[in-house]
Amino acid sequence: EVQLVESGGGLIQPGGSLRLSCAGSGFTVSSNFMNWVRQAPGKGLEWVSIVYSGGSTYYADSVKGRFTISRDISKNTLSLQMNTLRVEDTAMYYCARGTGDTAPIAFDVWGQGTMVTVSS
Amino acid sequence: QSALTQPPSASGSAGQSVTISCTGTSSDVGGYYYVSWYQQHPGKAPKLLIYEVTKRPSGVPDRFSGSKSGNTASLTVSGLQAEDEADYYCSSYAGNNKFVVFGGGTKLTVL
């Protein structure tokens, strides 16, 4: 069964750091466009970051310079290192597999999400 | 403020049809045939319903259909059922700068 399972969320103070993980099963994480998408409480979806199968990484302007996406090929996992966290980063963070040959045209597999709360 | 504009709410009686719109620009919806739609029930992860404007993943009922005209995409749900009550989000590829943009979501109520 194709599945994604996130972990690592929690309560963190503003300015702190947190690392999220997403374990893939039933497919190879490194062979796909892998993304992080977040959803603030009661709000809509926001794309955060992507890593292409070739290794290129890109970020939304709201997190550029603070977040880093990476993969561990040996563990078939995706990670998101979040530094200098802000109150507005509070959200449910989902990892999602992107479909498409040359661009992430849709997200066909989603994890259950991990909640990040930034508060003093 | 979301990049794509959706009505905040929509409703219809069981058995009827409802259409949800999603308006963007020529840089996203109008510029690519890469519009997708997601269904999200409370407390659950989003689920892909439509991709590449009109295609349905395996397992998605054909009651769900998509279309696009210019900068506006639409999702039509036919034969409304109680389990269709959920939030619906559109998204579009937006090029190698913004990558993917989402709409603000539409809460569908089945009367």
Side-chain angles (χ1 to χ4, degrees):
Chain A
E1 179 188 7
V2 173
Q3 194 174 6
L4 292 167
V5 178
E6 301 95 334
S7 60
L11 174 64
I12 188 76
Q13 290 189 338
S17 298
L18 206 57
R19 186 178 184 87
L20 307 183
S21 292
C22 171
S25 58
F27 75 102
T28 302
V29 165
S30 61
S31 298
N32 291 267
F33 298 110
M34 294 302 299
N35 301 263
W36 288 97
V37 177
R38 68 184 180 183
Q39 185 172 34
K43 303 296 184 181
L45 301 169
E46 179 188 14
W47 174 79
V48 172
S49 181
I50 186 172
V51 55
Y52 277 44
S53 55
S56 299
T57 60
Y58 302 93
Y59 303 89
D61 288 343
S62 57
V63 307
K64 199 173 296 182
R66 302 187 298 122
F67 290 11
T68 302
I69 191 172
S70 62
R71 305 171 303 189
D72 187 324
I73 296 174
S74 65
K75 296 181 179 178
N76 206 38
T77 59
L78 178 74
S79 295
L80 186 68
Q81 177 66 41
M82 303 186 296
N83 297 331
T84 318
L85 281 161
R86 305 168 179 168
V87 171
E88 54 265 35
D89 294 320
T90 294
M92 181 71 78
Y93 284 74
Y94 296 99
C95 66
R97 186 177 75 174
T99 65
D101 294 325
T102 58
I105 62 175
F107 304 126
D108 65 341
V109 180
W110 295 70
Q112 85 288 353
T114 187
M115 186 67 200
V116 172
T117 303
V118 185
S119 175
S120 55
Chain B
Q1 187 174 350
S2 300
L4 307 180
T5 301
Q6 297 181 235
S9 63
S11 63
S13 301
Q16 289 187 334
S17 295
V18 65
T19 296
I20 299 170
S21 63
C22 169
T23 302
T25 69
S26 58
S27 296
D28 37 64
V29 174
Y32 304 93
Y33 214 71
Y34 293 153
V35 174
S36 52
W37 290 89
Y38 302 87
Q39 178 190 61
Q40 185 179 36
H41 287 106
K44 300 294 186 181
K47 171 190 173 184
L48 179 63
L49 284 181
I50 298 287
Y51 66 101
E52 291 184 46
V53 179
T54 61
K55 298 179 180 179
R56 284 186 309 276
S58 173
V60 173
D62 59 7
R63 302 186 295 104
F64 295 92
S65 62
S67 64
K68 187 184 84 155
S69 177
N71 295 338
T72 299
S74 299
L75 172 72
T76 297
V77 186
S78 305
L80 277 171
Q81 299 181 2
E83 58 263 35
D84 298 334
E85 191 160 290
D87 293 327
Y88 292 82
Y89 293 91
C90 64
S91 77
S92 174
Y93 179 65
N96 289 335
N97 186 16
K98 294 185 177 181
F99 289 90
V100 176
V101 290
F102 286 97
T106 298
K107 182 176 181 62
L108 175 61
T109 300
V110 180
L111 303 172

